[in-house]
Amino acid sequence: MTSPVVSIAHHSGYGHTAVLAEAVRSGAVQAGAEAHLIKVDEITEEQWAVLDRSDAIVFGSPTYMGTASAAFHAFAEATSARWATQDWKDKLAAGFTNSGSKSGDKLHTLQYFQILAAQLGMHWVNLGLLPGWNSSTGSDTDLNRLGVFLGAAAQTNVDEGPDAVHKADLATAEHLGRRVTETAKAFGAGRTAPAA
């Protein structure tokens, strides 16, 4: 099959989520995807067309006040045209987020992404990792150090810039990009396989 098209539709208020988006893109490219970064607060008609032809869309936003940012919510509302015609039905979806606190209600943001994907008829790809950093032999360098299953979650101190995004969180985001790409390949192979 041809390389799957994976788009990372994200908003970043202070640059932290943009760094994670780049890590997701890097993982997707490593796994063989044609990958696109799309800033949802600056989205163009050409970029909407890229999303329409994508095999997978990975949603990303900081978690503000327990949910995705206002800019991401505006993008989500704009997908209603795709919802009405089910243009994104059977695409893959996944998500990632960042907040200042270890929990920071990031799970709610990921659940919001999952519901958005479900409304659009998409199939959700979870992180597929056991939790890290939860035993005496674990460390904060473990993949999935925050123990989130639904998507890639990151924590960055509120008084530090994008260069302080934790290396384990970046590696977890890369893992998500690879996993989405490998899942897209499997879905694509299934669609093109001859009927038994």
Side-chain angles (χ1 to χ4, degrees), residues 102-179:
K102 295 291 189 288
S103 170
D105 293 321
K106 289 186 272 286
L107 179 60
H108 185 263
T109 300
L110 293 170
Q111 289 171 328
Y112 168 72
F113 293 158
Q114 189 180 40
I115 291 169
L116 173 65
Q119 289 180 338
L120 291 162
M122 303 170 81
H123 299 287
W124 189 259
V125 179
N126 61 44
L127 190 56
L129 286 174
L130 291 171
W133 200 26
N134 67 353
S135 71
S136 61
T137 59
S139 80
D140 70 342
T141 61
D142 292 342
L143 285 180
N144 195 18
R145 71 184 181 110
L146 299 178
V148 176
F149 293 90
L150 202 56
Q155 179 274 330
T156 310
N157 294 330
V158 297
D159 58 349
E160 293 185 295
D163 57 331
V165 175
H166 200 285
K167 290 191 183 339
D169 297 341
L170 292 172
T172 302
E174 281 187 12
H175 166 85
L176 180 65
R178 287 190 298 271
R179 179 168 167 83

Side-chain angles (χ1 to χ4, degrees), residues 76-96:
E77 287 185 25
T79 66
S80 62
R82 273 75 183 168
W83 169 81
T85 54
Q86 292 290 277
D87 288 343
W88 291 0
K89 184 176 182 179
D90 293 330
K91 291 183 185 296
L92 300 179
F96 63 96

Side-chain angles (χ1 to χ4, degrees), residues 20 30 49 51 64 66 71 81 88 111 163:
L20 290 163
Q30 290 168 25
L51 292 175
Y64 293 154
W88 291 0
Q111 289 171 328
D163 57 331

